[in-house]
């Protein structure tokens, strides 16, 4: 009984500490902890400025999505220019598969998260993170292709 009470007390103390730490962090800082390398600092600043204004948050998401999409497309084109015919064909196929996965992941997340506005924002953020992660991968491939 004493062990159970002690475990509950420790768990409660850890929970209260985590809530207190998160209360000191801005939304941008919380998102930054989960974000892949490559998400712009302007995005985090925009999210903090938007506070709880859903329209402003949606604008932040749209701006960052456009930046990540442009980054991905620029890198993709640069990589294609460095590859031979066989590698180009393979990359195009991989990119088409990735696009299909992106679409299917979004559809699944929309069903999983539901119809609440906050859920839609999470689905959008997940999509932005996937764009960024794919751009990161393509940049890595480009650096390898440049070394050859």
């Amino acid at each position: 009984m004493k062990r159970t009470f002690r475990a509950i007390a420790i768990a409660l103390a850890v929970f209260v500490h985590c809530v207190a730490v998160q209360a000191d962090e801005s939304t941008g800082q919380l998102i930054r902890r989960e974000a892949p390398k490559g998400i712009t600092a302007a995005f985090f600043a925009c999210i903090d400025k938007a506070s709880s204004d859903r329209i402003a948050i949606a604008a932040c998401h749209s701006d960052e999505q456009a930046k990540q999409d442009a980054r991905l497309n620029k890198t993709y084109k640069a990589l294609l220019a460095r590859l031979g015919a066989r590698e180009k064909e393979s990359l195009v196929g991989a990119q088409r598969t990735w696009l299909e996965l992106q679409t299917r992941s979004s559809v699944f997340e929309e069903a999983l998260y539901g119809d609440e506005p906050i859920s839609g924002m999470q689905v959008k953020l997940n999509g932005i993170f996937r764009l960024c992660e794919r751009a990161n991968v393509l940049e890595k491939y480009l650096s390898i292709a440049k070394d050859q």
Side-chain angles (χ1 to χ4, degrees), residues 42 60 69 71 84 111 113 125 127-128 130 139:
C60 297
D69 194 46
R71 181 174 154 238
Y113 287 115
L125 185 62
I128 292 166
R130 283 192 298 271
E139 285 175 349

Side-chain angles (χ1 to χ4, degrees), residues 52-74:
S52 61
D53 181 348
R54 286 190 288 213
I55 293 172
I57 292 169
C60 297
H61 285 170
S62 292
D63 289 347
E64 187 64 19
Q65 182 176 1
K67 288 174 187 173
Q68 293 301 325
D69 194 46
R71 181 174 154 238
L72 186 149
N73 288 330
K74 178 181 174 187

Side-chain angles (χ1 to χ4, degrees), residues 15 122-123:
F15 175 75
Q122 184 63 52
V123 170

